[in-house]
Amino acid sequence: MRETQGTEKNPARRGEATPAGIGRNSKGAGEGVQGLPSERERSLPEGEQLIERVVERENMKRAYARVKKNGGAPGIDGMTVDHLKPYLQRHWPRIKGELLEGRYQPQPVKRVEIPKPNGGVRALGIPTVLDRLIQQAFHQVLSPIFDPTFSESSYGFRPGRSAHQAVLQAKSYQQEGKGWVVDIDLENFFDEVNQDILMARVARRVKDKKVLKLVRHYLQSGVMVGGVFTVSPKGTPQGGPLSPLLSNILLDDWDKELEKRGHAFCRYADDCNVYVKSEKAGQRVLSSIKKFLEKKLKLKVHPGKSKVSRTHQRKFLGYTFLWSLGPKIRVPRESLQRFRAKLKALFRMGRGRNLGRFIQEDLNPVLRGWIQYFRLAEFSNFARELDGWIRRRLRLIQWRQWKRPWTRRARLIQAGLSEERAVQSAFNRRGPWWNSGASHMNEAFPTRYFDKLGLVSMLEELLKFRTLCFGNRLGT
């Protein structure tokens, strides 16, 4: 997208950033290269050199590479990731000077709403590309300062940690006999963060006033909705690279409180489960935690979503557990239903497309990504059923593409059916969905046909992971 006139008139407020040009001794890099700190400057006390670390050449190069890789939609200024490098080559010296002097002002974020799986919408903020770059640079400097002090039971948005580790840890707690879970849901967490409390937690380890000032500016940068600017007296906007780290900094007090009380818990961002051995203990934990969160951190616990239940009655990071057999990790029905709904929309895009290209370019990446996330499931039936359903959907596309009965007759004969059977099948007057599951379409397009097209098999991917990591000892 080309730059707008409004952006050119006020380049300092552009949402671009990161030095793609930084780190190269080219004309375009200009002053941006010369102003980088020397080795001697790096030995200064942390409080004095933190902002210099942020704008240092190598840090900005890494931040630019990350922003470039992540891509994403433009912010309120309309600048795309592809326009960032040329913009930086022209304006980075000025932007760097504003950062070092504490004068840089972030742009407001663009507010978008995405539907939640269980209804309602989640508000997200899209910072400008420049602000995403600067936030990423700050994240790379601040994360090594804070992350080593975080709880071992915190898994969200941390290097070397993942949702899979949190799910496996939750299973291990249940293996210890903790069959009840205190599922704590924070109400509108990112919109309700008390900025003063958060900044006090950041200031515990960051003494550079320019860094603190800019973090505060990002919290208060405001949002743009339909061309109308709204201030941000509380909350931290989702969507920027800095937001996950700030949420972990604030919620680390919660982790430390749970550790002090000796609780077995797993937290991933604002999703936290505490595992106990009885319902009575769970109710006691829920009551005390609610008081702590509301009094100390000024956060609201959702009364309708925060409950004490058996572990198999609640979901954690998309998974649930079957307590009677172990426990065992499984994919809940709701996750499967959402995935099927997503695939239905994708299959509608496949109408009129070459089936092989549709599978390779559109379908396979979605299938592979989903099964990679749910590869911890210790039951295989869901994957086998999904494979059959996906193949039927692809046969449905074929049947609809043929449109006319005579075309269907010719295609079925070409696929190897006898003329008599092809005629009976093509003129049966049944609907497309019925025909997609009928024996004539299964015979014309068997599983091996889709294997030749390279269709990802959910079952094979699951069993492959099982064999690799567990020696195929999981349940079926």
Side-chain angles (χ1 to χ4, degrees):
M1 186 178 296
R2 62 186 180 86
E3 299 175 10
T4 61
Q5 291 183 354
T7 303
E8 285 298 326
K9 287 180 181 178
N10 191 6
R13 302 280 295 171
R14 291 207 48 131
E16 309 123 90
T18 75
I22 298 179
R24 291 187 174 87
N25 294 322
S26 62
K27 278 187 177 180
E31 301 173 31
V33 175
Q34 298 173 4
L36 296 175
S38 65
E39 291 295 331
R40 183 172 165 273
E41 288 173 315
R42 292 189 190 115
S43 64
L44 294 173
E46 178 181 286
E48 296 180 42
Q49 72 167 0
L50 209 54
I51 190 64
E52 284 87 352
R53 288 191 204 172
V54 172
V55 299
E56 187 213 23
R57 175 191 304 165
E58 291 303 318
N59 187 56
M60 295 304 298
K61 284 173 64 179
R62 288 196 296 121
Y64 175 81
R66 175 61 66 89
V67 171
K68 179 75 173 176
K69 180 180 179 181
N70 289 343
I76 63 170
D77 63 354
M79 182 186 291
T80 65
V81 174
D82 292 336
H83 288 102
L84 179 57
K85 180 176 180 177
Y87 180 81
L88 289 170
Q89 289 173 336
R90 295 193 303 271
H91 300 290
W92 173 245
R94 173 186 53 76
I95 297 168
K96 178 182 176 181
E98 292 178 356
L99 289 168
L100 289 172
E101 295 167 12
R103 295 185 293 107
Y104 181 80
Q105 290 290 333
Q107 289 266 55
V109 300
K110 181 167 69 175
R111 173 64 57 88
V112 295
E113 295 180 343
I114 60 173
K116 291 183 178 180
N118 299 324
V121 295
R122 175 180 287 109
L124 293 180
I126 303 178
T128 62
V129 181
L130 178 59
D131 282 325
R132 293 208 293 271
L133 171 70
I134 296 173
Q135 285 193 40
Q136 180 63 36
F138 268 81
H139 183 281
Q140 292 168 180
V141 170
L142 295 178
S143 182
I145 296 173
F146 287 95
D147 190 82
T149 69
F150 289 156
S151 168
E152 287 296 313
S153 297
S154 169
Y155 294 90
F157 309 110
R158 297 182 58 192
R161 289 177 167 260
S162 67
H164 286 166
Q165 292 174 336
V167 173
L168 292 173
Q169 182 61 63
K171 177 184 175 180
S172 71
Y173 288 142
Q174 295 173 56
Q175 289 172 327
E176 297 170 2
K178 297 178 174 67
W180 291 84
V181 60
V182 184
D183 189 351
I184 304 163
D185 186 280
L186 298 179
E187 188 172 4
N188 299 322
F189 168 69
F190 286 95
D191 294 330
E192 295 295 331
V193 168
N194 184 296
Q195 296 178 355
D196 291 332
I197 294 177
L198 172 56
M199 289 306 302
R201 270 60 180 172
V202 176
R204 289 173 179 173
R205 296 187 173 275
V206 174
K207 305 305 178 185
D208 190 327
K209 294 183 178 179
K210 293 175 183 176
V211 171
L212 294 173
K213 181 180 179 181
L214 187 56
V215 172
R216 171 76 77 167
H217 283 334
Y218 272 115
L219 292 175
Q220 299 177 339
S221 60
V223 297
M224 193 74 73
V225 183
V228 178
F229 172 75
T230 305
V231 296
S232 306
K234 61 180 180 177
T236 172
Q238 299 183 67
L242 201 52
S243 181
L245 176 61
L246 294 178
S247 68
N248 275 334
I249 292 173
L250 177 65
L251 295 178
D252 188 56
D253 277 19
W254 183 13
D255 298 338
K256 295 300 192 294
E257 181 67 18
L258 292 172
E259 288 178 342
K260 185 173 71 175
R261 300 182 187 186
H263 291 312
F265 71 98
C266 298
R267 184 178 67 80
Y268 192 96
D270 59 329
D271 194 349
C272 183
N273 280 0
V274 182
Y275 294 90
V276 295
K277 292 187 176 182
S278 68
E279 184 179 13
K280 184 178 180 180
Q283 294 293 351
R284 185 170 60 249
V285 169
L286 178 59
S287 176
S288 62
I289 289 177
K290 182 180 178 182
K291 291 179 182 178
F292 173 82
L293 290 170
E294 293 179 348
K295 182 177 180 180
K296 297 293 184 180
L297 299 182
K298 308 300 181 185
L299 297 172
K300 298 179 181 179
V301 176
H302 198 297
K305 296 182 179 179
S306 300
K307 295 183 180 296
V308 178
S309 305
R310 286 285 189 182
T311 53
H312 68 270
Q313 296 174 330
R314 308 294 290 181
K315 295 189 295 295
F316 182 52
L317 300 178
Y319 286 93
T320 189
F321 301 88
L322 190 62
W323 176 257
S324 60
L325 295 179
K328 296 287 186 180
I329 303 172
R330 68 182 184 91
V331 181
R333 182 180 303 171
E334 296 84 353
S335 296
L336 290 169
Q337 290 174 340
R338 286 197 300 270
F339 185 55
R340 287 197 181 203
K342 180 179 180 179
L343 288 180
K344 283 182 180 179
L346 186 62
F347 284 127
R348 285 193 288 269
M349 295 171 52
R351 298 176 183 176
R353 296 273 306 278
N354 175 276
L355 202 61
R357 286 200 297 270
F358 169 70
I359 289 173
Q360 292 294 335
E361 297 173 5
D362 299 291
L363 183 58
N364 276 351
V366 175
L367 300 181
R368 194 173 285 113
W370 191 87
I371 197 62
Q372 282 293 312
Y373 182 78
F374 284 104
R375 66 192 183 196
L376 295 183
E378 297 180 74
F379 300 90
S380 304
N381 286 341
F382 80 95
R384 186 178 292 105
E385 291 173 2
L386 271 176
D387 280 339
W389 182 82
I390 290 166
R391 288 192 295 268
R392 184 172 181 179
R393 281 282 166 181
L394 292 171
R395 294 184 186 107
L396 175 65
I397 291 176
Q398 283 287 54
W399 184 263
R400 281 177 165 160
Q401 284 180 350
W402 293 337
K403 294 184 180 178
R404 300 179 183 277
W406 288 103
T407 304
R408 290 167 178 165
R409 168 192 167 277
R411 297 302 187 193
L412 289 173
I413 292 174
Q414 186 179 4
L417 271 64
S418 67
E419 183 173 359
E420 180 182 358
R421 190 172 181 208
V423 171
Q424 291 176 349
S425 302
F427 290 87
N428 63 28
R429 296 187 179 182
R430 297 273 193 162
W433 180 245
W434 184 90
N435 276 283
S436 67
S439 60
H440 55 269
M441 286 297 285
N442 279 272
E443 184 177 336
F445 300 99
T447 301
R448 63 178 179 274
Y449 171 82
F450 295 106
D451 291 341
K452 290 180 181 178
L453 292 179
L455 177 65
V456 167
S457 169
M458 311 289 270
L459 181 61
E460 288 183 7
E461 291 291 320
L462 185 64
L463 296 180
K464 187 189 304 180
F465 174 77
R466 240 180 236 186
T467 303
L468 178 65
C469 298
F470 300 100
N472 208 18
R473 295 192 301 271
L474 301 184
T476 60

